[in-house]
């Protein structure tokens, strides 16, 4: 049968190595899904595919072995998942309206992990609501703390949870546990002064190790949520590199606005002749200069007073060309 492969891919189906066979990519923002939806994925795979499902590196599902003729039926069946996971959609029953912006990934966050500074899934879903659907090739990942279990520095936007430790001297028993753990497991941001811990605000990375180690709850997490935002990490065959720090102690509202501003920036400067209509943001920034990107990214953004913006930014990595 004749098939528009461009539309196929936009609809979140894949052009596979087998003629006439495709696979369907299922979005799961934040990688968190109710067990009832797993049964629906299995049903689609067994009814319209070859009965197998691949768990993707971006925490979604890929239903394999779907004949082209079954695409409309799969799209109709996916509606339950799309509604259940609250995915933005232009028309019900037609599947996913775009695939350019990849599934937003995250670690499990403080739903289970004691090290996480915040609940990652909720923030991932908020970003999903703000930016999807879109055909531009963006990758966003979140992690609950600087351990970076989600490898966020390999993404266009990496979001790390942070906390500003709050110290109550009346509860401190001068045991030194927080100073020891900060030296052993973090960045030695605490030093003893007159048998009480003193925090270096410049070097502290907001990991919360001091909070977890304190036997008397002298250290607690800040009520306000903070994050470290890293920029423009990438994998791929051409010049892979890790994302670099852009803003430390940034808030959720600012992050969402910066990501949306970057879509405007890319729409303005993307190379229309880029292969497949895709050009990684990093190459665009390399072409226009970081300061031009920064001007667009921070437009109408009101940062918290604690925020520290890094500028200029230089990306190191393997250079092939």
């Amino acid at each position: 049968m004749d098939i528009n492969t461009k539309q196929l891919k936009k609809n979140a189906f894949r052009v596979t190595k087998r003629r006439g066979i495709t696979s369907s990519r299922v979005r799961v923002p934040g990688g968190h899904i109710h067990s009832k939806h797993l049964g629906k994925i299995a049903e689609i795979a067994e009814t319209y595919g070859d009965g197998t499902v691949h768990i993707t590196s971006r925490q979604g599902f890929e239903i394999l072995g779907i004949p082209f003729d079954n695409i409309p039926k799969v799209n109709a069946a996916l509606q339950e998942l799309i509604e259940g996971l609250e995915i933005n959609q232009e028309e019900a029953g037609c599947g996913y309206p775009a695939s350019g912006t990849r599934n937003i990934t995250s670690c499990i966050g403080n739903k289970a992990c004691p090290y996480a500074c915040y609940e990652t899934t909720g923030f991932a879903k908020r970003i999903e609501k703000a930016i999807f659907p879109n055909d531009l090739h963006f990758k966003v990942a979140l992690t609950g703390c600087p351990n970076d279990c989600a490898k966020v520095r390999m993404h266009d936007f990496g979001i790390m949870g942070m906390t500003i430790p709050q110290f109550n001297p009346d509860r401190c028993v001068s045991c030194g546990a927080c100073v020891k753990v900060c030296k052993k497991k973090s960045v030695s941001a605490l030093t003893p002064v007159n048998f009480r811990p003193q925090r270096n605000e410049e070097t502290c990375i907001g990991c919360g190790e001091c909070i977890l180690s304190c036997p008397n709850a002298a250290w607690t997490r800040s009520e306000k949520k903070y994050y470290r935002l890293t920029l423009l990490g990438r994998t791929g065959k051409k010049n892979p590199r890790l994302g670099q720090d852009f803003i430390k102690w940034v808030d959720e509202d600012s992050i969402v606005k910066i990501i949306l501003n970057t879509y405007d920036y890319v729409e303005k400067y993307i190379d229309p002749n880029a292969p497949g209509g895709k050009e990684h943001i990093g190459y665009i920034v390399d072409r226009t200069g970081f300061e031009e990107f920064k001007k667009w990214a921070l437009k109408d953004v009101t940062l918290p007073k604690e925020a520290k913006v890094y500028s200029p930014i230089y990306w190191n990595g393997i250079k092939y060309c």
Side-chain angles (χ1 to χ4, degrees):
M1 65 182 289
D2 291 333
I3 192 78
N4 183 333
T5 57
K6 186 175 181 179
Q7 181 59 39
L8 180 85
K9 290 186 285 186
K10 178 180 172 64
N11 198 192
F13 289 88
R14 184 188 294 278
V15 176
T16 73
K17 61 189 290 184
R18 296 171 59 194
R19 186 179 295 275
I21 299 295
T22 185
S23 59
S24 174
R25 286 171 285 183
V26 178
R27 295 182 72 85
V28 185
H32 192 72
I33 188 170
H34 195 283
S35 59
K36 65 183 179 182
H37 297 311
L38 298 176
K40 188 63 178 181
I41 293 171
E43 178 188 320
I44 295 172
E46 292 167 1
T47 305
Y48 304 112
D50 64 9
T52 66
V53 178
H54 180 77
I55 300 174
T56 74
S57 60
R58 299 208 60 78
Q59 299 181 327
F61 295 92
E62 188 155 339
I63 303 171
L64 304 175
I66 301 170
F68 284 169
D69 288 338
N70 283 343
I71 290 176
K73 298 175 185 176
V74 171
N75 277 334
L78 286 170
Q79 191 61 32
E80 179 181 321
L81 291 171
I82 291 171
E83 292 177 358
L85 293 169
E86 301 179 343
I87 308 297
N88 293 337
Q89 195 178 25
E90 295 169 352
E91 184 179 354
C94 294
Y96 299 98
S99 64
T101 292
R102 297 299 191 249
N103 188 56
I104 298 169
T105 68
S106 75
C107 72
I108 196 169
N110 68 5
K111 289 189 297 295
C113 181
Y115 295 99
C117 295
Y118 71 107
E119 200 280 297
T120 53
T121 303
F123 193 13
K125 289 183 175 179
R126 179 185 175 184
I127 296 172
E128 169 82 9
K129 282 291 186 184
I131 68 177
F132 185 81
N134 199 292
D135 292 326
L136 294 176
H137 190 75
F138 278 37
K139 292 181 178 178
V140 182
L142 305 90
T143 193
C145 75
N147 283 332
D148 194 9
C149 297
K151 309 296 187 293
V152 303
R153 288 189 182 273
M154 300 171 70
H155 294 73
D156 298 310
F157 294 98
I159 301 164
M160 291 185 190
M162 303 177 71
T163 188
I164 297 180
Q166 307 295 298
F167 182 63
N168 182 350
D170 293 336
R171 297 192 65 89
C172 180
V173 295
S174 303
C175 67
C178 58
V179 176
K180 293 176 183 177
V181 76
C182 189
K183 181 178 180 180
K184 184 176 181 180
K185 298 180 67 176
S186 192
V187 295
S188 296
L190 298 179
T191 53
V193 178
N194 295 327
F195 303 100
R196 291 292 177 88
Q198 183 169 299
R199 172 176 164 266
N200 186 326
E201 295 181 3
E202 290 297 315
T203 58
C204 177
I205 60 173
C207 62
E209 289 285 355
C210 54
I211 298 162
L212 295 173
S213 70
C214 182
N216 213 37
W219 288 106
T220 55
R221 297 189 189 277
S222 55
E223 183 176 339
K224 188 174 180 180
K225 300 175 184 177
Y226 295 93
Y227 306 87
R228 180 186 300 270
L229 179 62
T230 68
L231 289 181
L232 308 185
R234 64 179 179 231
T235 55
K237 62 179 74 71
K238 186 177 180 182
N239 303 337
R241 65 192 187 189
L242 291 178
Q244 297 294 315
D245 289 351
F246 180 36
I247 308 177
K248 178 182 177 183
W249 309 116
V250 63
D251 62 314
E252 288 189 10
D253 291 345
S254 296
I255 290 173
V256 172
K257 180 60 175 172
I258 288 168
I259 296 174
L260 290 172
N261 285 345
T262 302
Y263 277 96
D264 294 337
Y265 163 81
V266 172
E267 291 278 10
K268 171 71 174 178
Y269 288 112
I270 192 170
D271 180 359
N273 298 314
K278 299 177 183 177
E279 185 179 23
H280 190 275
I281 308 170
Y283 293 114
I284 303 174
V285 174
D286 292 344
R287 190 170 67 246
T288 67
F290 174 74
E291 290 303 318
E292 179 66 10
F293 165 79
K294 179 182 171 183
K295 180 181 74 176
W296 282 74
L298 295 180
K299 181 181 178 182
D300 300 325
V301 173
T302 303
L303 295 170
K305 60 180 178 61
E306 300 88 353
K308 178 181 179 181
V309 180
Y310 294 83
S311 184
I313 294 178
Y314 299 100
W315 287 269
N316 296 316
I318 299 170
K319 295 291 183 182
Y320 294 121
C321 57

